[in-house]
Amino acid sequence: MPESNKTFQILAAALLALLLFAALFTLRSLDDNRLVRWNWVFNTVSATWIYAALMGGVLLAWAASRLPEPRPALLGVLSFLICSLFWRTPEAIVDASRYFTQAKHLELYGVGFFLAEWGGQIGAWTDLPLMPFVYGLAFKVFGESRIVVQVITTAMFSATVVLTARIGKELWDETVGLAAGALLMAVPYLYTQVPLMLVDVPSMFFLALALYTVILALKRGGAAIFIASVAVFFAVFSKYSLWLMLSVLAVAFVVLLKEAPGTVLRRGGGIFLLGAALAGGLLLYKMDVVAQQIRFLIEYQRAGLGRWSESFTSTFLFHVHPFVTAAALYSAYRAARKKDFKYLVVLWLPALMLLMGIRRIRYLVPVFPMLCLMAAYGLAGIRAAELRRFVVSAAVVSSVVLATLAYLPFLSGLSMSNLKDAGEFLDSMEAPKVRVVTLSMDSDV
């Protein structure tokens, strides 16, 4: 491509990145996100200041596009550093209290008590035990501190960035993989979730881990079969919604089956049998609890989806960078034109969620790596490597600017920060016992 054409295209992409923010800000009333709605966020921060920072960010993206493509490990380190900026935000979603309570039981009474009483004395609601177990072990080993949880969840997010890059490389090539891993940092909503004591980001990690290890096991066999089975076991016990999402493993199996039918069939059978044996033992042990939870999910949680919904416009334009959404849409056309059967692996989950009408962004978190892989596949159609890297860099930098300069101060100013600050003050007193008094709304105190 002539240098003048390449420069013009980069300038056009830079202008588009800036105009997109201005357009979304103007149309911010369309955002109905339940946590960081733009109408709420920009009541506390200046859009002018954000726009000025975006202009600087576009220049930074241009400089980054001229550098060699980073290794996946570097993307993981960079994502960890960015997410660590959000550790000062409060626990903004009350679900964290359940996971803390369950983890606290393991910390105080040990692993045996936790396994025996999960779903009994340890109220389990609709939660599966893996992440409360992990949090509880961390408390027991490193002490009861929120930073311990945040390091775990941040490391899981960074590992997902690396896993996304690896999945892209296994399915296509390193260029697609690196772009996909980077684009996971172009989902600004994720930065609000990483520091929280929840299971959404860990579930995203376990799903990506299961898919990556299963692909490796189907291709290479050996010890990878056992590793893949363990990864599937972890995914099964991280969140109920992942049970449906694990259907992507069957899609990967079918796609790879045509490459070496006999070998892939044997390896796939080994993964299934070993994974079923691992998961089946624990499921049988806690069958009464699991059955009760599933009934509750069907009777209550399923009906609540309509009340808790957010629009696709909000999710895929305001809280996923529009470059990612546009590239993902284009990727379907590119894959159809190339008759690329492997594309079904990354298309499956986003298409399934759309067909099922899952409109709560928190429930879509585990699917974001697949969306980014779709987008990276679409961007691979741009032949000019520098232009392609600029589009990826601009999406990432713009999202980081929005998250750190808009979402972060907004979340830090929520009323839940008062509880966080009060807790930190009580910790500093080193008092052996603390009495908490709850006042009624009509109290004069």
Side-chain angles (χ1 to χ4, degrees):
M1 177 187 297
E3 189 68 26
S4 59
N5 287 349
K6 182 177 66 176
T7 302
F8 173 78
Q9 290 178 353
I10 290 176
L11 286 173
L15 180 61
L16 180 59
L18 295 172
L19 289 176
L20 279 171
F21 173 79
L24 290 174
F25 177 77
T26 303
L27 299 171
R28 63 190 181 279
S29 61
L30 298 177
D31 180 17
D32 58 2
N33 186 271
R34 299 302 182 94
L35 180 63
V36 280
R37 189 174 302 183
W38 277 36
N39 260 339
W40 301 338
V41 168
F42 287 104
N43 279 334
T44 59
V45 298
S46 168
T48 303
W49 164 237
I50 302 297
Y51 195 77
L54 283 173
M55 294 177 68
V58 166
L59 290 175
L60 180 61
W62 172 76
S65 69
R66 301 176 69 85
L67 299 174
E69 290 183 330
R71 299 295 91 196
L74 181 59
L75 292 177
V77 171
L78 179 61
S79 65
F80 189 96
L81 293 175
I82 295 170
C83 290
S84 67
L85 299 174
F86 290 79
W87 289 354
R88 62 186 176 91
T89 59
E91 290 288 345
I93 299 175
V94 297
D95 292 7
S97 62
R98 303 201 310 268
Y99 305 119
F100 173 78
T101 301
Q102 293 173 45
K104 183 72 173 178
H105 279 86
L106 190 151
E107 179 194 4
L108 292 177
Y109 305 114
V111 171
F113 179 86
F114 180 90
L115 294 177
E117 293 299 331
W118 176 80
Q121 293 187 49
I122 304 175
W125 190 246
T126 57
D127 311 314
L128 283 166
L130 179 60
M131 283 313 298
F133 183 87
V134 171
Y135 292 144
L137 277 184
F139 285 165
K140 201 167 188 67
V141 174
F142 300 106
E144 186 182 303
S145 171
R146 189 173 179 232
I147 192 66
V148 171
V149 171
Q150 291 175 318
V151 168
I152 291 172
T153 54
T154 304
M156 285 182 166
F157 174 73
S158 300
T160 308
V161 169
V162 176
L163 286 169
T164 303
R166 296 296 187 188
I167 292 170
K169 182 180 179 181
E170 288 296 326
L171 290 177
W172 293 291
D173 55 45
E174 193 169 42
T175 297
V176 172
L178 288 171
L183 287 174
L184 196 58
M185 294 185 281
V187 182
Y189 178 81
L190 286 175
Y191 297 114
T192 71
Q193 301 299 294
V194 171
L196 306 182
M197 192 178 183
L198 300 175
V199 299
D200 303 294
V201 169
S203 295
M204 177 176 68
F205 163 73
F206 286 119
L207 181 61
L209 179 66
L211 178 58
Y212 176 63
T213 54
V214 164
I215 290 174
L216 281 187
L218 292 176
K219 285 187 170 185
R220 302 173 191 177
I225 293 176
F226 174 75
I227 295 172
S229 302
V230 173
V232 172
F233 169 83
F234 287 155
V236 167
F237 288 100
S238 61
K239 195 173 184 181
Y240 277 110
S241 60
L242 253 60
W243 290 16
L244 176 63
M245 294 182 187
L246 285 170
S247 60
V248 70
L249 304 182
V251 178
F253 170 77
V254 172
V255 167
L256 294 176
L257 188 63
K258 60 183 297 187
E259 296 183 3
T263 301
V264 171
L265 187 61
R266 288 192 301 273
R267 292 170 179 172
I271 296 169
F272 176 79
L273 292 174
L274 187 54
L278 291 172
L282 187 53
L283 285 174
L284 287 173
Y285 177 53
K286 291 292 182 178
M287 181 55 69
D288 56 336
V289 179
V290 171
Q292 183 180 9
Q293 288 181 323
I294 292 175
R295 283 196 299 270
F296 186 78
L297 283 168
I298 294 172
E299 294 170 4
Y300 174 74
Q301 298 284 72
R302 183 180 178 185
L305 285 176
R307 298 191 301 272
W308 304 329
S309 66
E310 295 149 317
S311 67
F312 290 143
T313 298
S314 169
T315 296
F316 295 109
L317 289 181
F318 290 90
H319 302 287
V320 174
H321 196 280
F323 280 0
V324 176
T325 302
L329 291 172
Y330 170 71
S331 69
Y333 164 75
R334 183 169 185 261
R337 189 183 62 186
K338 292 170 64 69
K339 298 180 180 178
D340 191 341
F341 198 46
K342 290 182 290 186
Y343 179 77
L344 293 176
V345 176
V346 298
L347 174 65
W348 175 254
L349 287 181
L352 185 62
M353 296 301 103
L354 289 174
L355 289 173
M356 292 182 63
I358 306 299
R359 294 177 176 270
R360 187 77 187 271
I361 189 171
R362 273 185 60 200
Y363 299 158
L364 294 173
V365 165
V367 181
F368 284 140
M370 301 301 104
L371 181 72
C372 293
L373 283 160
M374 290 173 62
Y377 184 85
L379 291 174
I382 300 176
R383 294 183 179 180
E386 188 175 331
L387 174 60
R388 183 175 61 248
R389 288 198 295 267
F390 175 79
V391 172
V392 172
S393 299
V396 172
V397 172
S398 299
S399 299
V400 171
V401 166
L402 176 66
T404 55
L405 299 184
Y407 293 179
L408 179 56
F410 171 75
L411 291 171
S412 300
L414 293 176
S415 59
M416 284 80 84
S417 291
N418 296 330
L419 296 175
K420 180 177 74 71
D421 294 341
E424 291 174 350
F425 173 73
L426 291 175
D427 285 342
S428 69
M429 294 175 63
E430 298 183 355
K433 292 183 179 180
V434 175
R435 174 178 290 177
V436 177
V437 179
T438 303
L439 302 177
S440 62
M441 294 294 292
D442 57 354
S443 173
D444 295 329
V445 179

